[in-house]
C-alpha cells in the first residue's frame, strides 16, 4: 500500500448489525501494524463499543502476559446528548474532526461504524478514502443494498444504504474533491455450493456495475474469530501468542491477506 501526507482513511460501514464490521476492522488494523505502518482507530459506535472492547482486550493481554503486540492509537466517539438536533450534529461533527486531527501523524485511520443509521455514521462515511461494507451472504442482508423481485431476483432499485453512500460520495466531493473507493465484502461465505450463493453472486455483480462498488470475498464463518476477540488477538498474532496454527487459522489468514491485496 502507498502512503501520503495525510492519513488514508478506511471506514467499515453497513446499516445492518452482525455483518462482521468490528472483526474486519481489528484485523485490518493489525495487518497494517504488522506491515510497519502507524495506525489510528476510531469507534463511532461507542455505545456498543465492540472495536473499543477489542482494543481494550488486546491492551489487557499485553499488560498481563507481557506480549509484544502492536497497538493502534484508539479513540471512541460518543453521540451527543444535546436535545437540539442542530447543536447535537455540530457537536458530533466537531468530535469526529478533532479525533481525526489527533491522528494526523498516522498513515492509516480505521473507522468502525454502527449497524444503524445515525448522523455520526453518515459523517464518518463521508471521510472514507476506502469504504468497506461487509455483507453476510443472504438476501436479508442484501436488502440493505438493493430491492429485488421475489421470484427472479431482478434488481428493482438501490436500497437505503446504497442511497446513503451515494449521498456521502457527493458530500466528500463537495468538501475536498476526494473520491470514495467502495468495496462490498461478501462475509461468512460457505465453501459449499448453493443456489442462494449463486444468485447472490449474480445480483451483486449486476449491482456493482450499476452503482459503482468493487466486490471482494471476505471471511468464512469461523468460530476462531469469536474466540480471538476475548484476548484482543487476530489471526496474525498466533505466533507471538504461541498458539498452534490450525487449518482454520491458516484459511482465515489467507482470507485476510486476499482482502488486503484487494484494498490496495
Amino acid at each position: 500500500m502507498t502512503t501520503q501526507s495525510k492519513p488514508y482513511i478506511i471506514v467499515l460501514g453497513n446499516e445492518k448489525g452482525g455483518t462482521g464490521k468490528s472483526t474486519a476492522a481489528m484485523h485490518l488494523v493489525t495487518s497494517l501494524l504488522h506491515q510497519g505502518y502507524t495506525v489510528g482507530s476510531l469507534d463511532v459506535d461507542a455505545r456498543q463499543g465492540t472495536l473499543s472492547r477489542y482494543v481494550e482486550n488486546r491492551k489487557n493481554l499485553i499488560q498481563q502476559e507481557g506480549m509484544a503486540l502492536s497497538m493502534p492509537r484508539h479513540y471512541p466517539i460518543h453521540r451527543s446528548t444535546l436535545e437540539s438536533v442542530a447543536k447535537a450534529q455540530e457537536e458530533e461533527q466537531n468530535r469526529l474532526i478533532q479525533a481525526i486531527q489527533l491522528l494526523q501523524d498516522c498513515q492509516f485511520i480505521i473507522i468502525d461504524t454502527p449497524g444503524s443509521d445515525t448522523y455520526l455514521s453518515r459523517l464518518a462515511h463521508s471521510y472514507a478514502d476506502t469504504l468497506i461494507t461487509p455483507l453476510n451472504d443472504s438476501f436479508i442482508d442484501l436488502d440493505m443494498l438493493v430491492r429485488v423481485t421475489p421470484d427472479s431476483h431482478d434488481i428493482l432499485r438501490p436500497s437505503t444504504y446504497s442511497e446513503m453512500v451515494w449521498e456521502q460520495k457527493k458530500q466528500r466531493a463537495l468538501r475536498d474533491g476526494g473520491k470514495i473507493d467502495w468495496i462490498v465484502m461478501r462475509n461468512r461465505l460457505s465453501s459449499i455450493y448453493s443456489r442462494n450463493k449463486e444468485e447472490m453472486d449474480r445480483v451483486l455483480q449486476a449491482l456493482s456495475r450499476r452503482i459503482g462498488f468493487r466486490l471482494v470475498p471476505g471471511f468464512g464463518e469461523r468460530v476462531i474469530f469469536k474466540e480471538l476477540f476475548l484476548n484482543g488477538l487476530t489471526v496474525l498474532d498466533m505466533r507471538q501468542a504461541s498458539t498452534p496454527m490450525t487449518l482454520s487459522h491458516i484459511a482465515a489468514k489467507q482470507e485476510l491477506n486476499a482482502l488486503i491485496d484487494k484494498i490496495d
Side-chain angles (χ1 to χ4, degrees):
M1 291 188 178
T2 58
T3 55
Q4 49 195 39
S5 58
K6 63 178 183 177
Y8 192 92
I9 298 178
I10 301 174
V11 174
L12 281 295
N14 189 332
E15 289 178 6
K16 185 179 184 305
T19 58
K21 291 188 299 294
S22 300
T23 297
M26 191 63 187
H27 277 75
L28 285 172
V29 165
T30 308
S31 178
L32 292 168
L33 288 170
H34 275 243
Q35 294 178 59
Y37 295 108
T38 53
V39 183
S41 54
L42 300 176
D43 189 352
V44 299
D45 189 16
R47 186 174 184 274
Q48 181 167 327
T50 304
L51 180 60
S52 296
R53 290 203 308 279
Y54 213 141
V55 174
E56 184 180 354
N57 291 344
R58 190 176 181 86
K59 182 180 178 181
N60 290 338
L61 184 68
I62 292 171
Q63 293 173 345
Q64 293 167 10
E65 304 294 335
M67 288 186 186
L69 298 174
S70 301
M71 286 285 293
R73 284 163 50 198
H74 180 78
Y75 298 101
I77 303 176
H78 293 271
R79 294 181 62 183
S80 173
T81 57
L82 296 176
E83 293 184 4
S84 166
V85 173
K87 290 182 178 179
Q89 290 182 352
E90 181 181 7
E91 183 175 64
E92 289 175 359
Q93 182 175 15
N94 289 336
R95 287 176 180 177
L96 179 62
I97 292 173
Q98 288 170 6
I100 292 174
Q101 289 175 343
L102 287 172
L103 299 173
Q104 277 299 298
D105 58 335
C106 291
Q107 291 166 297
F108 289 89
I109 298 175
I110 309 297
I111 303 180
D112 192 22
T113 63
S116 59
D117 178 29
T118 68
Y119 173 78
L120 188 54
S121 177
R122 294 194 300 271
L123 187 64
H125 277 69
S126 75
Y127 279 88
D129 293 303
T130 290
L131 167 64
I132 299 177
T133 300
L135 184 76
N136 290 336
D137 220 40
S138 76
F139 280 96
I140 295 174
D141 283 36
L142 183 65
D143 193 61
M144 292 301 300
L145 289 182
V146 62
R147 296 284 192 268
V148 299
T149 57
D151 298 323
S152 62
H153 299 150
D154 292 330
I155 294 174
L156 293 173
R157 63 184 184 280
S159 194
T160 51
Y161 183 74
S162 297
E163 292 171 351
M164 187 276 284
V165 172
W166 178 253
E167 180 59 34
Q168 300 319 309
K169 283 186 173 185
K170 291 192 291 184
Q171 293 297 323
R172 172 68 190 276
L174 288 171
R175 185 171 60 242
D176 59 14
K179 296 181 179 180
I180 298 175
D181 176 27
W182 186 15
I183 294 174
V184 172
M185 182 176 80
R186 291 178 69 184
N187 229 7
R188 293 172 177 163
L189 287 167
S190 169
S191 59
I192 302 173
Y193 168 81
S194 69
R195 179 66 184 273
N196 177 82
K197 188 176 179 180
E198 184 181 86
E199 281 296 291
M200 282 284 294
D201 185 67
R202 182 183 67 81
V203 173
L204 284 168
Q205 292 288 355
L207 187 63
S208 68
R209 294 188 292 270
R210 180 166 172 176
I211 65 176
F213 59 76
R214 294 192 288 131
L215 188 62
V216 304
F219 303 141
E221 181 63 71
R222 304 185 192 282
V223 176
I224 60 167
F225 289 122
K226 299 173 184 177
E227 295 172 346
L228 292 170
F229 165 78
L230 294 175
N231 287 317
L233 294 171
T234 69
V235 294
L236 298 176
D237 302 312
M238 297 296 94
R239 182 174 297 176
Q240 288 167 283
S242 299
T243 302
M245 290 287 285
T246 66
L247 290 176
S248 186
H249 286 116
I250 294 170
K253 188 174 181 179
Q254 291 172 339
E255 290 167 353
L256 176 60
N257 290 336
L259 174 61
I260 294 294
D261 289 342
K262 293 293 185 181
I263 295 174
D264 195 24

